[in-house]
């Protein structure tokens, strides 16, 4: 059954099918919310906000119109707005992505120095992403982590496709600018004598 068919059935009173709709999107929405919350170290409430997103979507399902957007786009928009609303409530919370406690684990055969360097690089990338303005950060997360196309991102952020491309360009340029000193090859000067 497609999303459209499920939604029609749910609107016609077969509300048990909403569980199927949730199963299809729960992991993606949870991952998106989790990434949005990383910068504030509020990942612990990601599941609650995911549930709230699905509750809001269920309550508003009667107003969903397929002509305007796909269900997934509509759902991501609700998730984004739910997270932004929560962040506004907790505006005083400011924690870097590095402090989220999520670091990749090196394989057992990797040398400790390599694992330490890799963790340090991941930490620097998180800090760079954390410093982005909200729309740039959201666009970057949707594109790079959730692999969405420009039109989907535009619909979720309420922007045009060209605006999304511009947001992504600025986000990537900002991250690159912040990371260049750490990842560029060192320039050695000739020593005298």
């Amino acid at each position: 059954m497609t999303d459209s068919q499920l939604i029609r059935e749910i609107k016609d009173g077969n509300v048990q099918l909403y569980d199927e709709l949730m199963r299809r999107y729960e992991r993606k929405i949870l991952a998106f919310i989790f990434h949005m919350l990383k910068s504030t170290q509020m990942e612990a409430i990601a599941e609650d906000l995911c549930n709230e997103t699905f509750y809001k979507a269920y309550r508003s399902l009667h107003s969903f119109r397929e002509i305007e957007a796909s269900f997934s786009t509509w759902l991501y928009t609700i998730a984004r707005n739910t997270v932004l609303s929560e962040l506004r409530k907790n505006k005083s919370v400011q924690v870097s992505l590095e402090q989220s406690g999520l670091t990749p684990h090196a394989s057992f055969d990797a040398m400790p120095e390599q694992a330490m360097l890799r963790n340090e690089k991941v930490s620097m990338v998180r800090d760079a992403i954390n410093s982005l303005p909200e729309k740039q950060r959201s666009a970057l997360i949707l594109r790079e982590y959730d692999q969405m196309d420009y039109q989907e991102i535009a619909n979720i952020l309420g922007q045009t496709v060209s605006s999304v491309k511009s947001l992504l360009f600025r986000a990537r340029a900002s991250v690159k600018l912040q990371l260049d000193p750490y990842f560029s090859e060192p320039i050695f000067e000739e020593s005298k004598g």
Side-chain angles (χ1 to χ4, degrees), residues 144-163:
E144 302 302 330
Y145 289 97
D146 294 327
Q147 302 294 303
M148 289 191 174
D149 64 32
Y150 295 119
Q151 185 60 57
E152 288 176 302
I153 297 169
N155 292 341
I156 291 168
L157 298 180
Q159 302 286 317
T160 64
V161 170
S162 60
S163 295

Side-chain angles (χ1 to χ4, degrees), residues 3-189:
D3 288 352
S4 300
Q5 291 168 327
L6 277 173
I7 291 167
R8 273 193 291 277
E9 289 286 326
I10 294 166
K11 285 182 176 182
D12 288 341
N14 194 352
V15 293
Q16 297 87 347
L17 290 177
Y18 193 69
D19 286 340
E20 172 61 27
L21 207 52
M22 281 179 59
R23 268 192 294 280
R24 289 182 184 184
Y25 292 99
E26 189 171 25
R27 291 181 115 182
K28 290 179 181 180
I29 295 297
L30 182 60
F32 172 68
I33 290 171
F34 189 82
H35 284 296
M36 285 193 70
L37 292 174
K38 274 185 182 179
S39 65
T40 59
Q41 203 174 22
M42 293 172 58
E43 299 96 331
I45 66 166
E47 203 167 310
D48 292 340
L49 294 182
C50 184
N51 291 335
E52 186 176 337
T53 297
F54 281 104
Y55 176 71
K56 287 177 178 178
Y58 178 76
R59 285 188 44 217
S60 303
L61 198 58
H62 66 279
S63 66
F64 169 69
R65 295 200 328 246
E66 237 178 315
I67 298 165
E68 295 173 11
S70 70
F71 178 74
S72 65
T73 300
W74 184 69
L75 191 58
Y76 271 95
T77 303
I78 293 171
R80 179 178 177 269
N81 291 338
T82 300
V83 170
L84 293 177
S85 175
E86 187 65 30
L87 291 176
R88 278 191 290 276
K89 286 183 209 171
N90 297 299
K91 207 170 197 166
S92 62
V93 178
Q94 289 288 327
V95 180
S96 71
L97 284 171
E98 177 188 54
Q99 295 171 335
S100 69
L102 295 173
T103 55
H105 299 285
S107 63
F108 290 110
D109 57 12
M111 296 174 58
E113 297 85 13
Q114 291 172 334
M116 190 172 77
L117 288 172
R118 192 172 19 260
N119 288 344
E120 190 175 327
K121 287 179 180 179
V122 167
S123 176
M124 285 187 264
V125 171
R126 284 186 181 149
D127 287 343
I129 293 171
N130 184 46
S131 71
L132 294 173
E134 186 275 321
K135 281 192 179 179
Q136 288 180 21
R137 187 173 60 242
S138 293
L140 194 63
I141 289 169
L142 290 169
R143 181 70 179 169
E144 302 302 330
Y145 289 97
D146 294 327
Q147 302 294 303
M148 289 191 174
D149 64 32
Y150 295 119
Q151 185 60 57
E152 288 176 302
I153 297 169
N155 292 341
I156 291 168
L157 298 180
Q159 302 286 317
T160 64
V161 170
S162 60
S163 295
V164 167
K165 288 179 180 179
S166 178
L167 284 170
L168 287 167
F169 176 80
R170 290 194 311 268
R172 289 175 179 137
S174 178
V175 169
K176 183 181 182 318
L177 183 66
Q178 292 179 60
L179 298 177
D180 262 351
Y182 304 104
F183 293 106
S184 62
E185 292 296 315
I187 300 171
F188 296 101
E189 294 181 21

